Amino acid sequence: QVQLVESGGGLVQAGGSLRLSCAASAHTFSDYAWFRQAPGKEREFVARTRWNDGGSISSLEYSDSVKGRFTISRDSAKNTVYLQMNSLQPEDTAVYFCATDVVGGRTASEYDYWGQGTQVTVSS
């Protein structure tokens, strides 16, 4: 069973940057995604990456709210997926979760494996 551990969250001022990491215990799936959940709100899709058997990225997707500011990437040698977050705004404040599965998508129900989450707080 794959275990995911997120890190890199914290408190940052508006306009600042953070890089989240998601370390996987083993690379067995092709789809990795980041979701976030603010207090009182549903978990929402942030970004997703999928790569093929050859190890190259076959797709990248972002929500409209983060497109152009966030970048999802991976280091296959470290079994780690990253989320670089730039130009952070107070509305980005949430707990950020990493997820993976054989085939994922843009909804949380499509993923069976989740990390514990890392808090990101953006002050105005």
Side-chain angles (χ1 to χ4, degrees):
Q1 184 172 355
V2 176
Q3 292 184 328
L4 304 175
V5 179
E6 301 100 332
S7 61
L11 173 64
V12 64
Q13 289 187 332
S17 298
L18 284 173
R19 188 178 79 157
L20 305 183
S21 300
C22 172
S25 59
H27 175 61
T28 58
F29 302 128
S30 300
D31 258 88
Y32 284 80
W34 287 95
F35 287 78
R36 65 187 182 186
Q37 188 165 18
K41 295 188 176 181
E42 293 186 355
R43 193 166 297 189
E44 67 168 347
F45 170 78
V46 174
R48 170 184 173 235
T49 182
R50 178 174 178 80
W51 55 87
N52 57 33
D53 292 340
S56 60
I57 292 177
S58 62
S59 68
L60 287 172
E61 296 180 57
Y62 298 94
S63 67
D64 289 342
S65 62
V66 307
K67 195 175 296 183
R69 301 187 298 125
F70 291 11
T71 302
I72 187 170
S73 63
R74 67 144 184 156
D75 184 331
S76 58
K78 296 181 179 180
N79 284 340
T80 300
V81 176
Y82 303 98
L83 185 69
Q84 177 67 43
M85 306 185 296
N86 298 328
S87 302
L88 283 162
Q89 300 301 316
E91 52 265 35
D92 295 315
T93 295
V95 177
Y96 284 71
F97 296 90
C98 176
T100 187
D101 216 315
V102 177
V103 178
R106 299 170 73 98
T107 57
S109 61
E110 296 177 87
Y111 295 87
D112 285 336
Y113 303 97
W114 292 85
Q116 81 288 353
T118 185
Q119 176 70 46
V120 171
T121 303
V122 185
S123 63
S124 57

